[in-house]
Amino acid sequence: MDMKYDILLFDADNTILDFDKSEEQALRQAFDECSLPFGANTLPTYRKNNIRQWQLFEQGIIEKSQVLVNRFAETFAELNLPSEKVDRASALYEEYLHYGYYTVAYAEEVLEELGKNCRLFIVSNGVKSIQDSRMKGSGLGKYFIKRFVSEEVGFPKPQKGFFDYCFERISDFDKSRAFIIGDSLTSDIQGGVNAEIDTCWFNPNHIVNSSDIMPNYEIDDLRQLTSIVNGNK
């Protein structure tokens, strides 16, 4: 079958794995075990700080290890929580995230279908041990030939070095046949632009794109990928 794209690079969190659900569950468990209050502002405050810290990592300003601590330190400061519990809450959260096996709607059926004619890869900035555990527990890991995680690669998405590393390790790689799918404009879509491959923004919540980062495609349902890959969209 003549496909438009047959080398598919998938982000993991909030593209095929439901990270939001896993994140909330892990945070609640960590706070409960640390005897910390979990109020209406807890999750939004944490998410705001988490996103900002990951963006600093994407820009090469801080290391991943700093992300994992800073997001909690900033959240605790804003919520007036005891700073001496930051390290324990962070460690517990990381541990509980390993067991967040929730998947995005239709992820498995779409991966199974696409895997018949395409080679599938994961490209992620996430923590490797967490990604490995969630991929295995969710049952999605079997659909991917290889998973490229920034802590092994040595560069974060969206840096070109990340993608150069990946492309060198994909046999018979052809940029014109490659395609990245992800939920982050700054990481996945900008990464694809930097790597000079086509991009697809997975935007199920219909977030308004107010940036100058323009994906080749935008979808709100993973099932729409089939027609794009086949060249029908």
Side-chain angles (χ1 to χ4, degrees), residues 109-163:
E109 66 181 73
V110 169
L111 293 174
E112 184 174 9
E113 180 62 28
L114 293 175
K116 294 175 182 176
N117 297 298
C118 303
R119 291 184 290 160
L120 313 184
F121 301 87
I122 286 289
V123 287
S124 173
N125 276 343
V127 177
K128 185 179 185 301
S129 64
I130 294 175
Q131 296 287 19
D132 288 347
S133 176
R134 293 170 66 223
M135 279 293 175
K136 182 178 180 180
S138 67
L140 299 186
K142 62 180 176 287
Y143 296 108
F144 297 93
I145 294 172
K146 186 171 178 57
R147 299 196 292 273
F148 297 102
V149 182
S150 60
E151 65 187 65
E152 288 187 321
V153 171
F155 300 92
K157 289 183 301 180
Q159 291 184 18
K160 185 174 180 295
F162 177 95
F163 292 93

Side-chain angles (χ1 to χ4, degrees), residues 76-90:
F76 274 50
E78 285 187 52
L79 298 176
N80 296 311
L81 297 173
S83 59
E84 63 269 18
K85 292 190 176 184
V86 165
D87 288 345
R88 176 156 172 74
S90 177

